[in-house]
Amino acid sequence: MDPAWLVLASIAFGILLGAGVVLIVTIAARRGRRAVAVVSPSVPDGVDQVIDALESGGIVLDPSNNVIKSSPGALALGLVWNNALVHPELVAIVDDVRRYGDPIVRELELPRGRIGDANIFLLVRVARLGARYVLLLAEDRTESVKLDAVRRDFIANISHELKTPIGAVSLLAEALQAAAKEPEQVKRFAKRLTKESDRLARITQEIIELSRLQAADALARPATVEIDHVIAAAIDQNRVAAEARNVTMASGGDAGAEVFGDDALLVVAVHNLINNAIIYSPKGSRVGIGVSNSGGIVEIAVTDQGIGIAADEQDRVFERFYRIDPARSRHTGGSGLGLSIVKHVAQNHGGDVRLWSQPGYGSTFTIRLPEATHATADSLGESA
Ligand code: ADP
């Protein structure tokens, strides 16, 4: 054969072979795509958008319990992993719905996600979606369940806290009666009676303050508050306590700072911090009250050179009725509500309270509040 023909024939064969291969690959790919579309079930019409718009947990499962759609809320709650439900309890409910057909509503306590020891409380509704799918809706009830528990604890604690001084008052009254003819005894019992009734009055007052702070309209009519005035009033209220322990109070920092809020509540908060600083410090020490005003944030820092607070207690001291040393607090007359009030006052003013402390060296509590010119009156309510 002529070599030129041989070359041409080989080229033609090559082209044909290439075209054939391309054709086969294209058909295979098309088939493959079609096959994927058939195997992977799609979410029924419209459900996709509904699940995307859900703030709570929403999950659609196919007949093999594969998760084919889930809302960001469901992922955040740790309900789905690797296109499957994480919790066997949820799988069991889904299976029951498939088996019996009726929707199921149930409250469950489940671990959050696959690891970690935090639990979540869910209200779960599961129902069929068309003939093949199942829809699972999960509402996170963790906050309200916790709040209920806190409320129950609070009532139990109040009863306990009130019982002690009330018991003491009635015992002391009996003792007074019995010692009517001994003036020295009468004086001694009367003094203790005054102390216990002062304590009762303080706890009652603090409970009222705390309930007021938790009411929705705690700052219904915020006005412009001068921080200099707040500090001066709080220092003034602590003079007797400071003198009794020979503690010096010194204030300084940026003058003229203003915030939106309730002057009386802010005085209570700063008073509580200064009072603790005095009580939990050695006699003759120094308490500093500093104000800084920068970047739209007003900071009121109360620093002491006292006993300090260990790292693992630093969050807990803001809880109601929490006291590191209950015996010492009983002696000082503390109710354990002071810092809880400080925290609520700061939060109601759109701010927070921070704590730095080192046992043996002292503590600094800092209330941070938005400056009046930066804080929007709207965010706190109506401006007076
Ligand atoms: P209390 O009425 O008992 O002082 P608080 O809520 O004001 O209640 O404080 C809670 C606990 O935090 C106190 O019992 C005390 O153990 C600890 N604490 C508060 N302030 C200080 C401080 N400045 N230094 C050391 N410990 C403090």
Side-chain angles (χ1 to χ4, degrees):
M1 196 189 243
D2 188 332
W5 276 109
L6 202 63
V7 170
L8 274 176
S10 328
I11 290 172
F13 180 72
I15 289 172
L16 277 175
L17 193 68
V21 168
V22 167
L23 198 67
I24 289 166
V25 167
T26 311
I27 290 169
R30 284 209 178 138
R31 284 213 177 129
R33 263 207 301 278
R34 250 204 315 272
V36 167
V38 171
V39 168
S40 161
S42 58
V43 183
D45 272 353
V47 174
D48 223 26
Q49 290 92 319
V50 174
I51 298 277
D52 280 338
L54 272 184
E55 222 173 90
S56 50
I59 297 166
V60 179
L61 297 123
D62 75 3
S64 316
N65 279 357
N66 294 311
V67 172
I68 53 170
K69 180 79 192 168
S70 54
S71 69
L75 300 178
L77 287 168
L79 302 181
V80 179
W81 174 252
N82 234 350
N83 293 335
L85 288 175
V86 168
H87 303 91
E89 296 89 336
L90 292 181
V91 176
I93 299 177
V94 169
D95 288 343
D96 280 352
V97 167
R98 278 192 216 286
R99 198 169 306 134
Y100 305 111
D102 289 333
I104 294 180
V105 180
R106 204 164 289 167
E107 282 186 28
L108 293 173
E109 181 184 355
L110 299 171
R112 182 182 284 273
R114 296 171 307 137
I115 45 171
D117 29 58
N119 276 6
I120 45 172
F121 294 87
L122 297 180
L123 179 69
V124 178
R125 295 185 178 86
V126 184
R128 281 173 185 242
L129 186 66
R132 303 168 40 127
Y133 303 100
V134 171
L135 173 67
L136 185 153
L137 297 173
E139 214 177 288
D140 186 2
R141 292 275 175 95
T142 314
E143 272 310 301
S144 73
V145 170
K146 274 192 187 159
L147 215 66
D148 275 352
V150 166
R151 226 172 264 147
R152 273 197 304 274
D153 275 4
F154 187 50
I155 307 276
N157 281 331
I158 287 180
S159 325
H160 176 76
E161 294 298 324
L162 292 178
K163 238 194 270 171
T164 320
I166 287 173
V169 164
S170 84
L171 282 177
L172 285 165
E174 277 174 28
L176 257 178
Q177 248 176 356
K181 292 192 184 115
E182 298 167 61
E184 276 313 305
Q185 289 281 64
V186 168
K187 244 193 245 170
R188 200 160 66 88
F189 288 138
K191 207 168 148 196
R192 283 182 56 194
L193 199 60
T194 311
K195 198 172 158 199
E196 291 300 337
S197 59
D198 280 353
R199 188 182 161 138
L200 259 180
R202 196 169 44 248
I203 295 177
T204 316
Q205 181 58 32
E206 288 187 345
I207 290 168
I208 293 169
E209 263 157 19
L210 205 55
S211 337
R212 197 183 136 206
L213 282 166
Q214 286 172 321
D217 60 349
L219 287 186
R221 294 186 166 274
T224 306
V225 177
E226 289 172 21
I227 294 300
D228 295 340
H229 168 261
V230 170
I231 306 254
I235 288 181
D236 224 41
Q237 291 176 2
N238 275 296
R239 269 196 216 289
V240 177
E243 273 162 23
R245 295 183 64 79
N246 200 18
V247 169
T248 325
M249 294 182 285
S251 64
D254 294 339
E258 288 181 336
V259 301
F260 279 121
D262 183 321
D263 181 87
L265 286 179
L266 287 168
V267 172
V268 168
V270 179
H271 164 272
N272 288 357
L273 290 185
I274 299 177
N275 197 253
N276 280 348
I278 294 168
I279 290 172
Y280 298 105
S281 293
K283 287 190 174 172
S285 64
R286 209 181 118 93
V287 169
I289 303 106
V291 180
S292 84
N293 182 9
S294 74
I297 307 277
V298 176
E299 293 193 353
I300 306 166
V302 177
T303 303
D304 63 54
Q305 304 161 325
I307 55 174
I309 300 167
D312 58 343
E313 307 268 18
Q314 292 185 6
D315 280 337
R316 302 218 60 194
V317 291
F318 293 99
E319 291 172 15
R320 299 178 192 97
F321 295 113
Y322 188 78
R323 288 166 293 201
I324 298 170
D325 180 354
R328 182 180 174 135
S329 290
R330 242 192 313 281
H331 182 66
T332 57
S335 65
L337 291 172
L339 288 179
S340 180
I341 290 175
V342 174
K343 189 177 93 178
H344 277 94
V345 170
Q347 285 177 347
N348 282 8
H349 282 77
D352 62 12
V353 52
R354 295 183 175 190
L355 165 59
W356 174 91
S357 187
Q358 209 167 351
Y361 287 91
S363 315
T364 297
F365 285 86
T366 308
I367 297 179
R368 306 186 328 137
L369 304 166
E371 191 191 358
T373 47
H374 286 70
T376 49
D378 304 352
S379 68
L380 294 172
E382 200 184 305
S383 181

